[in-house]
Amino acid sequence: PDTYCPSNEAVYDLLFDVLEEGLEVFRPKTVHIAHDEGYTACLCARCREKDPGALFAADVNRIHRWLKARGVGSMIWGDMLFSFLDRFGNLRGSGIQVRKILLDRTVTIRGKQYPARREIWGKTALETQEGILYQAPQSQSALELVDKDVVIMHWMHTHQPTTDDVYHAAGFTTVYGNFVPRNFDRWFRRMEKGVQGIAISNWSMLD
């Protein structure tokens, strides 16, 4: 599963147990706790009346402070903290970004076929009749509520260079994630902001 309820205390019993084991095995200086591309929030009885941004921030801060007490830093993806326009003209981020999930294809693994999902984004997702539609929650308020020593892994730089300024103005340190040099411009201006570095991502498929 990729979703849990942050208002359910049992979630943290499991989460911190898993993290404790991970710290013991890997002894990291920083743990990336993700928190990106959320498409559901505040749907259950425990959370329905809560602000998505405050709930998001409280969850991030609780995990971050647990790690910090053990001498370990935290890093998250930053796309749930504000909205922006991508290079294809689609609105992305909190409160706006939409996608549709379709299970209309299969992959073959060791001779057996399994259903595989396909994702459609933005305007095309709204125009497609099939599939399940998801929309990112209104979590923008988390930008001011998340602890400022949480490092932001920033992937929107490939879409809008000015997204850097949003994080820095809010007091965050950033690392460029999903880094591809050919998509990167304004090097000197961006380096002056104090970016810590870059991380290169890779996606692969089995079919």
Side-chain angles (χ1 to χ4, degrees):
D2 63 357
T3 304
Y4 61 74
C5 176
S7 298
N8 183 350
E9 194 62 27
V11 162
Y12 296 100
D13 293 337
L14 174 60
L15 176 61
F16 293 144
D17 183 59
V18 173
L19 281 173
E20 192 79 69
E21 184 175 348
L23 297 186
E24 182 179 342
V25 173
F26 297 106
R27 300 185 180 183
K29 294 181 180 178
T30 303
V31 173
H32 198 312
I33 59 174
H35 284 73
D36 59 316
E37 299 191 37
Y39 292 95
T40 56
C42 302
L43 300 181
C44 71
R46 290 188 177 100
C47 300
R48 195 169 293 132
E49 302 302 320
K50 297 181 180 180
D51 171 62
L55 193 66
F56 179 93
D59 182 57
V60 170
N61 289 342
R62 182 167 181 178
I63 300 168
H64 164 62
R65 292 167 190 176
W66 185 92
L67 289 166
K68 186 175 181 178
R70 288 155 180 79
V72 179
S74 302
M75 179 181 290
I76 64 170
W77 293 109
D79 54 284
M80 297 302 295
L81 302 181
F82 64 95
S83 303
F84 63 99
L85 191 69
D86 72 17
R87 65 180 181 275
F88 306 111
N90 293 316
L91 285 165
R92 304 285 292 270
S94 64
I96 295 176
Q97 184 169 332
V98 294
R99 69 171 178 175
K100 189 161 279 188
I101 304 298
L102 296 92
L103 297 175
D104 59 355
R105 67 186 187 91
T106 60
V107 294
T108 302
I109 303 173
R110 294 186 176 182
K112 293 184 66 175
Q113 285 199 328
Y114 298 88
R117 77 180 191 181
R118 180 165 62 95
E119 298 183 358
I120 301 175
W121 296 82
K123 183 180 178 182
T124 305
L126 295 173
E127 294 173 346
T128 303
Q129 298 300 314
E130 300 81 13
I132 305 169
L133 184 67
Y134 295 90
Q135 180 169 354
Q138 297 279 354
S139 55
Q140 299 96 318
S141 61
L143 182 68
E144 301 300 326
L145 299 174
V146 169
D147 290 348
K148 296 305 179 281
D149 51 344
V150 173
V151 176
I152 303 297
M153 181 72 82
H154 173 27
W155 62 262
M156 288 86 79
H157 63 85
T158 60
H159 295 283
Q160 287 288 348
T162 54
T163 54
D164 297 20
D165 300 332
V166 176
Y167 295 125
H168 295 136
F172 289 106
T173 298
T174 58
V175 170
Y176 290 125
N178 302 345
F179 186 79
V180 180
R182 68 175 180 273
N183 293 336
F184 197 83
D185 60 6
R186 307 184 191 181
W187 281 88
F188 294 108
R189 177 186 180 278
R190 293 168 132 180
M191 292 301 103
E192 288 172 357
K193 298 289 184 178
V195 175
Q196 280 197 341
I198 65 170
I200 298 172
S201 302
N202 178 59
W203 291 265
S204 57
M205 298 180 67
L206 295 173
D207 61 346

